[in-house]
Amino acid sequence: MKLYHFTEMPYPYIAPEAEEANRGLKYFMPNRYYDPVLGHELYQRYLDEYELADELGFDLMVNEHHQSASTLQVSATLSAASVLHRTRRGRVLILGTPLPHRESPIRVAEEIAYLDSVSGGRIDCGFVRGVQGETFPSNQNPVHNLDMFIEAHDLIKKAWTSGDVFSWEGRHYHYRYVSVWPRPYQQPHPPIWISGTSTRLVEWTARHGYTLCNLLGTYDDTATSFRLYRRTAVAAGLPEPGPDRFAYMALCHVAPTEAKAREIGRKLIYYLKPGKLRLGAASPPGYFPPASAVAALQGRLGAVRRMSYEDLIDAGILLIGTPDQVTAQIHRLYEQTGAGHLILMNHAGDMTSNEVRDHLTLFAKDVMPAVTALGADWHDKDTTWRVDNDTTPVQAVLSSALS
Amino acid sequence: MSTLLFLHDADVLPGTIGALGLLADDLHVAVPRHPGFGTPLDDTAQDWDSVADLAQHYLSDPVTDPPHGPLHLAGAGFGGWIALEMAVRAPHLFTTLTLVSPYGVKLSGPTEPDFADILLLDPTEIVELGWAEPTACHDLRMPGYPPGLTDDDYERAFADRAALSRYAWKPFLHDPRLRRWLHLITMPTLVIAGTHDRLVPPRHSAALADLLPSARFVELPHAGHYPYLERPHAFHREVRSFLIGEAQ
């Protein structure tokens, strides 16, 4: 199992009254609440933690959100450039670039190719639709979100692999002369990752053989969505996908005692507070199919946000405890889902740098050695998620918790 | 008998709601449902992405061909925008034009939104901004509004919002090309706004009327964005006398 260090780089200095008045921290947050000096210090601190994680043997993940106090990463490719510059060993997973929200897929193709070239192939390239609320900072039409995602992907992949100048006059993107320099270092292109749970997107990811990531879903939902992927891939004539095609993101904190881990780890639920966004932002027009939009409206979506701290630990969405306990949780994740990549959100809210550093160090010493072998022998017959062993019917998963 | 082609707003129930039923006493009133809002053309309209598509559709639709006598064009809110797009394309087709707080034309600067964000605001906020007397609200349908409907009803409301978004997301609720052709709308025009409309402020409708060569602006008291629902009799009196007077 490969393990990734990740922080969204939050800005934790927003007063509760300001958060309340602005319906949360994201998308509609006045930037007068941002202090440039504190912001600079935060960026340096977060990059220092990436540097430590790299030295401890983690791989590294970056992302982006916009107009948000819960994420100061504004461009996953810019963050990747910063992290690459600070590190020497770990892979840098960009998860991801929200394709429908970027005006120019060609610019994305160039930036990823640049990062891959500069780093000698240390890049994993994730593409995402962008969570619902991202619709408002970018102002891209949510109705076209998934179609734009797929068209932008097709264009980027052709730009990396064509070898010739070509023209692209599609539904959403128009270029008369495309020839991206440089080409990626990893040929024909860096590994591609996708995050999402919608049926159409999971099936599309499976047919392309890309790595599918579930963010903070329940293990049941995650296993269900991975099952759809495996069945789709096999039906398309591809080899049975192994654990390296599946990734899961959890919030994580280990400490020498369970009590200490739970005390500090409580800060991680910063990202799982119940959403306060208007329905129009949590479920923008056309972003979900109408049936899923109704499910969101009726509260059948985002159930993770209503779970208690203890239930979240039991469900494994929070990996919190002693090294032995978290090792056991990760084994359970692997046994139930077959995920071969684990992204660890090791920081949230106002968790201090020392708390993050102590956790990273302890995890690297006592958990990492006990879980890295997971997934290496995935051909074992006793795994429940292997296509031949798994007779559970394929079902749709509504969506992950995030908005 | 004259024909009134009335193009409906976003979030309203289908049919001859409110004052449209009263107008049907004297006129043949057609209130077609826009493609995308629950019609046999919904699948086709998946590829339509502008109000120009809807205008083109209605200009070639049999509902107006041949009309029973003079053909009057009208539209409210989103439907008013469609009517404006039709009027600049085929001014000779219509005897009159009636606009009820129409979207479609941006008159203010880049940092001043002309219209409320009906694709973000909650239904309760839209009712609050769109009615002089919010508690009297009726004949509106939005995601989750009114409470207690079936999942199917709300699916329809979400699908309607998706259709509106396809036509009107960006530029938001307006067509930058429209303003430069408004001088072509030479037919007698009535622009009506409710005094309490905070979705499309009455001053916007008044300023739009000033840009139309033969337009008269009327403000209806005690009404918001849906005067044909909130003050149906007053609305009926104004529009009926305008249509009958201008049709002679």
Side-chain angles (χ1 to χ4, degrees), chain A residues 116 160-161 183-190:
Chain A
D116 203 45
W160 282 338
T161 57
R183 284 194 294 138
Y185 182 87
Q186 299 173 87
Q187 283 293 302
H189 55 76

PDB file of all heavy atoms in Angstrom, chain A residues 116 160-161 183-190:
ATOM      1  N   ASP A 116       6.140  17.132 -14.799  1.00  0.00           N
ATOM      2  CA  ASP A 116       6.657  15.778 -14.984  1.00  0.00           C
ATOM      3  C   ASP A 116       8.075  15.825 -15.540  1.00  0.00           C
ATOM      4  O   ASP A 116       8.945  15.051 -15.130  1.00  0.00           O
ATOM      5  CB  ASP A 116       5.723  15.013 -15.934  1.00  0.00           C
ATOM      6  CG  ASP A 116       5.840  13.517 -15.765  1.00  0.00           C
ATOM      7  OD1 ASP A 116       5.853  13.053 -14.607  1.00  0.00           O
ATOM      8  OD2 ASP A 116       5.927  12.813 -16.792  1.00  0.00           O
ATOM      9  N   TRP A 160      -0.875  15.322 -25.366  1.00  0.00           N
ATOM     10  CA  TRP A 160       0.337  14.665 -24.857  1.00  0.00           C
ATOM     11  C   TRP A 160       0.857  13.619 -25.830  1.00  0.00           C
ATOM     12  O   TRP A 160       2.052  13.326 -25.854  1.00  0.00           O
ATOM     13  CB  TRP A 160       0.036  13.971 -23.527  1.00  0.00           C
ATOM     14  CG  TRP A 160      -0.038  14.885 -22.331  1.00  0.00           C
ATOM     15  CD1 TRP A 160       0.525  16.126 -22.200  1.00  0.00           C
ATOM     16  CD2 TRP A 160      -0.700  14.607 -21.091  1.00  0.00           C
ATOM     17  NE1 TRP A 160       0.239  16.632 -20.955  1.00  0.00           N
ATOM     18  CE2 TRP A 160      -0.495  15.734 -20.253  1.00  0.00           C
ATOM     19  CE3 TRP A 160      -1.423  13.531 -20.595  1.00  0.00           C
ATOM     20  CZ2 TRP A 160      -1.002  15.809 -18.951  1.00  0.00           C
ATOM     21  CZ3 TRP A 160      -1.922  13.596 -19.302  1.00  0.00           C
ATOM     22  CH2 TRP A 160      -1.718  14.730 -18.490  1.00  0.00           C
ATOM     23  N   THR A 161      -0.029  13.008 -26.582  1.00  0.00           N
ATOM     24  CA  THR A 161       0.357  11.784 -27.301  1.00  0.00           C
ATOM     25  C   THR A 161       0.333  11.907 -28.811  1.00  0.00           C
ATOM     26  O   THR A 161       0.781  11.007 -29.501  1.00  0.00           O
ATOM     27  CB  THR A 161      -0.582  10.612 -26.905  1.00  0.00           C
ATOM     28  OG1 THR A 161      -1.931  10.981 -27.186  1.00  0.00           O
ATOM     29  CG2 THR A 161      -0.442  10.265 -25.439  1.00  0.00           C
ATOM     30  N   ARG A 183       6.572  17.393 -24.011  1.00  0.00           N
ATOM     31  CA  ARG A 183       5.804  16.176 -23.761  1.00  0.00           C
ATOM     32  C   ARG A 183       6.148  15.681 -22.355  1.00  0.00           C
ATOM     33  O   ARG A 183       7.217  15.987 -21.832  1.00  0.00           O
ATOM     34  CB  ARG A 183       6.136  15.097 -24.791  1.00  0.00           C
ATOM     35  CG  ARG A 183       5.499  15.351 -26.154  1.00  0.00           C
ATOM     36  CD  ARG A 183       5.559  14.130 -27.046  1.00  0.00           C
ATOM     37  NE  ARG A 183       6.934  13.790 -27.408  1.00  0.00           N
ATOM     38  CZ  ARG A 183       7.411  12.556 -27.444  1.00  0.00           C
ATOM     39  NH1 ARG A 183       6.621  11.525 -27.097  1.00  0.00           N
ATOM     40  NH2 ARG A 183       8.655  12.327 -27.805  1.00  0.00           N
ATOM     41  N   PRO A 184       5.257  14.908 -21.713  1.00  0.00           N
ATOM     42  CA  PRO A 184       5.565  14.419 -20.361  1.00  0.00           C
ATOM     43  C   PRO A 184       6.838  13.563 -20.358  1.00  0.00           C
ATOM     44  O   PRO A 184       7.190  12.927 -21.362  1.00  0.00           O
ATOM     45  CB  PRO A 184       4.346  13.568 -20.007  1.00  0.00           C
ATOM     46  CG  PRO A 184       3.253  14.022 -20.917  1.00  0.00           C
ATOM     47  CD  PRO A 184       3.935  14.473 -22.179  1.00  0.00           C
ATOM     48  N   TYR A 185       7.494  13.537 -19.205  1.00  0.00           N
ATOM     49  CA  TYR A 185       8.679  12.687 -19.032  1.00  0.00           C
ATOM     50  C   TYR A 185       8.267  11.212 -19.029  1.00  0.00           C
ATOM     51  O   TYR A 185       8.905  10.368 -19.660  1.00  0.00           O
ATOM     52  CB  TYR A 185       9.347  13.062 -17.707  1.00  0.00           C
ATOM     53  CG  TYR A 185      10.617  12.309 -17.411  1.00  0.00           C
ATOM     54  CD1 TYR A 185      11.846  12.771 -17.887  1.00  0.00           C
ATOM     55  CD2 TYR A 185      10.591  11.150 -16.637  1.00  0.00           C
ATOM     56  CE1 TYR A 185      13.018  12.093 -17.604  1.00  0.00           C
ATOM     57  CE2 TYR A 185      11.765  10.458 -16.344  1.00  0.00           C
ATOM     58  CZ  TYR A 185      12.974  10.929 -16.840  1.00  0.00           C
ATOM     59  OH  TYR A 185      14.131  10.245 -16.553  1.00  0.00           O
ATOM     60  N   GLN A 186       7.192  10.911 -18.277  1.00  0.00           N
ATOM     61  CA  GLN A 186       6.670   9.534 -18.259  1.00  0.00           C
ATOM     62  C   GLN A 186       5.879   9.326 -19.551  1.00  0.00           C
ATOM     63  O   GLN A 186       4.956  10.079 -19.840  1.00  0.00           O
ATOM     64  CB  GLN A 186       5.759   9.316 -17.045  1.00  0.00           C
ATOM     65  CG  GLN A 186       6.482   9.512 -15.715  1.00  0.00           C
ATOM     66  CD  GLN A 186       5.515   9.459 -14.515  1.00  0.00           C
ATOM     67  OE1 GLN A 186       5.233   8.389 -14.001  1.00  0.00           O
ATOM     68  NE2 GLN A 186       5.022  10.612 -14.104  1.00  0.00           N
ATOM     69  N   GLN A 187       6.223   8.336 -20.308  1.00  0.00           N
ATOM     70  CA  GLN A 187       5.584   8.108 -21.605  1.00  0.00           C
ATOM     71  C   GLN A 187       4.631   6.922 -21.544  1.00  0.00           C
ATOM     72  O   GLN A 187       4.962   5.920 -20.914  1.00  0.00           O
ATOM     73  CB  GLN A 187       6.661   7.891 -22.678  1.00  0.00           C
ATOM     74  CG  GLN A 187       7.319   9.200 -23.117  1.00  0.00           C
ATOM     75  CD  GLN A 187       6.348  10.103 -23.855  1.00  0.00           C
ATOM     76  OE1 GLN A 187       5.770   9.739 -24.883  1.00  0.00           O
ATOM     77  NE2 GLN A 187       6.141  11.280 -23.309  1.00  0.00           N
ATOM     78  N   PRO A 188       3.451   7.016 -22.185  1.00  0.00           N
ATOM     79  CA  PRO A 188       3.028   8.171 -22.999  1.00  0.00           C
ATOM     80  C   PRO A 188       2.548   9.354 -22.181  1.00  0.00           C
ATOM     81  O   PRO A 188       2.501  10.460 -22.691  1.00  0.00           O
ATOM     82  CB  PRO A 188       1.859   7.591 -23.809  1.00  0.00           C
ATOM     83  CG  PRO A 188       1.312   6.478 -22.949  1.00  0.00           C
ATOM     84  CD  PRO A 188       2.501   5.884 -22.252  1.00  0.00           C
ATOM     85  N   HIS A 189       2.215   9.125 -20.899  1.00  0.00           N
ATOM     86  CA  HIS A 189       1.799  10.232 -20.039  1.00  0.00           C
ATOM     87  C   HIS A 189       1.852   9.744 -18.596  1.00  0.00           C
ATOM     88  O   HIS A 189       1.898   8.537 -18.345  1.00  0.00           O
ATOM     89  CB  HIS A 189       0.389  10.719 -20.399  1.00  0.00           C
ATOM     90  CG  HIS A 189      -0.659   9.650 -20.374  1.00  0.00           C
ATOM     91  ND1 HIS A 189      -1.198   9.140 -19.216  1.00  0.00           N
ATOM     92  CD2 HIS A 189      -1.267   8.962 -21.384  1.00  0.00           C
ATOM     93  CE1 HIS A 189      -2.090   8.210 -19.503  1.00  0.00           C
ATOM     94  NE2 HIS A 189      -2.148   8.076 -20.816  1.00  0.00           N
ATOM     95  N   PRO A 190       1.826  10.659 -17.625  1.00  0.00           N
ATOM     96  CA  PRO A 190       1.849  10.233 -16.215  1.00  0.00           C
ATOM     97  C   PRO A 190       0.611   9.405 -15.900  1.00  0.00           C
ATOM     98  O   PRO A 190      -0.406   9.525 -16.575  1.00  0.00           O
ATOM     99  CB  PRO A 190       1.814  11.564 -15.440  1.00  0.00           C
ATOM    100  CG  PRO A 190       2.186  12.618 -16.406  1.00  0.00           C
ATOM    101  CD  PRO A 190       1.789  12.132 -17.754  1.00  0.00           C
TER     102      PRO A 190
END
